[in-house]
Each structure stands twice: as structure tokens, then as C-alpha cells.
Amino acid sequence: MTHRSSRTAAGDGGLRSFVRDNGLGLFFLTGFLLALAGQAIAGQADFNNQLLAEQLQPVSFGEYVTSSDFAVDTAENWQSEYLQFFLYVSVTVWLVQRGSPESKPVGAAHDATGVEG
């Protein structure tokens, strides 16, 4: 009898096994997208307030997110916290989900790290 991995045993592919195997990455991707959406909503409101103060017409959400103002604001945020945090989390998630020798198995108990002490 051959040994089958949990991925094969659960069926090749499938949404449920994909979500289980990549849950941590999907969680942080969702958080990142929500933060980006929040930035877009707040940025549009601030941009439109500036336009109204200058007695100009406000822009729609679609116009704002495709504007250079949104691109500049996003790039400035990514250069500071977002990019560093995103890279740190992405690499950590990848290492945990792929079984880095420095990470305990995902389903293992807290004391089952394999380190004798």
C-alpha cells in the first residue's frame, strides 16, 4: 500500500482543500484588500473635499481609483508600512503553509515542535 499525502487523500484539488491548505494566506490577502478598499474610500472622500474647497466638481469612485492621486497615495503607503508588512506576512505564511523546518506542523499541538528542551 502506498502512502498518499493529505492533499491527494482529500481529493485532487477542490475548493475546500484549497481553502484549508491556504487559509492563512487567504485571510491576510482579504485583510490587505479590505485595507486597500478602505484607503480608496477615505482617499476619494478627502480628494472630493479638496476639490469642493476649490469649487471644482467631485469625481466618482471609479475616476478616483484610476487617477494618479490614488496611485501616488497607494505607492507612498506601500513604501512605508504596507510593503514591509505585506512581504513579512507573505513570506511567513508561505513558510508555515509549506512546512518550513523552523515551523511546527500546522495541525500540531503547541508543545509538538520537535525541539527537546
Side-chain angles (χ1 to χ4, degrees):
M1 177 177 222
T2 60
H3 180 273
R4 293 171 40 157
S5 70
S6 61
R7 186 175 294 188
T8 305
D12 293 326
L15 182 61
R16 188 175 195 176
S17 64
F18 176 80
V19 170
R20 184 190 66 239
D21 292 344
N22 299 292
L24 189 58
L26 292 171
F27 172 79
F28 281 109
L29 176 63
T30 301
F32 174 74
L33 293 176
L34 288 173
L36 190 61
Q39 177 185 332
I41 292 167
Q44 183 207 10
D46 182 56
F47 187 69
N48 281 338
N49 285 337
Q50 290 175 9
L51 290 175
L52 290 172
E54 297 172 10
Q55 298 179 348
L56 298 171
Q57 284 288 82
V59 297
S60 70
F61 184 76
E63 289 173 320
Y64 176 71
V65 296
T66 58
S67 71
S68 61
D69 289 289
F70 178 68
V72 167
D73 290 344
T74 302
E76 287 175 358
N77 281 339
W78 285 10
Q79 287 173 353
S80 56
E81 295 87 13
Y82 282 125
L83 182 60
Q84 294 170 14
F85 183 70
F86 177 72
L87 291 175
Y88 177 76
V89 168
S90 298
V91 170
T92 302
V93 166
W94 185 79
L95 289 172
V96 168
Q97 290 181 167
R98 299 300 172 243
S100 167
E102 296 173 359
S103 301
K104 71 177 183 70
V106 175
H110 179 67
D111 60 349
T113 60
V115 176
E116 300 286 328

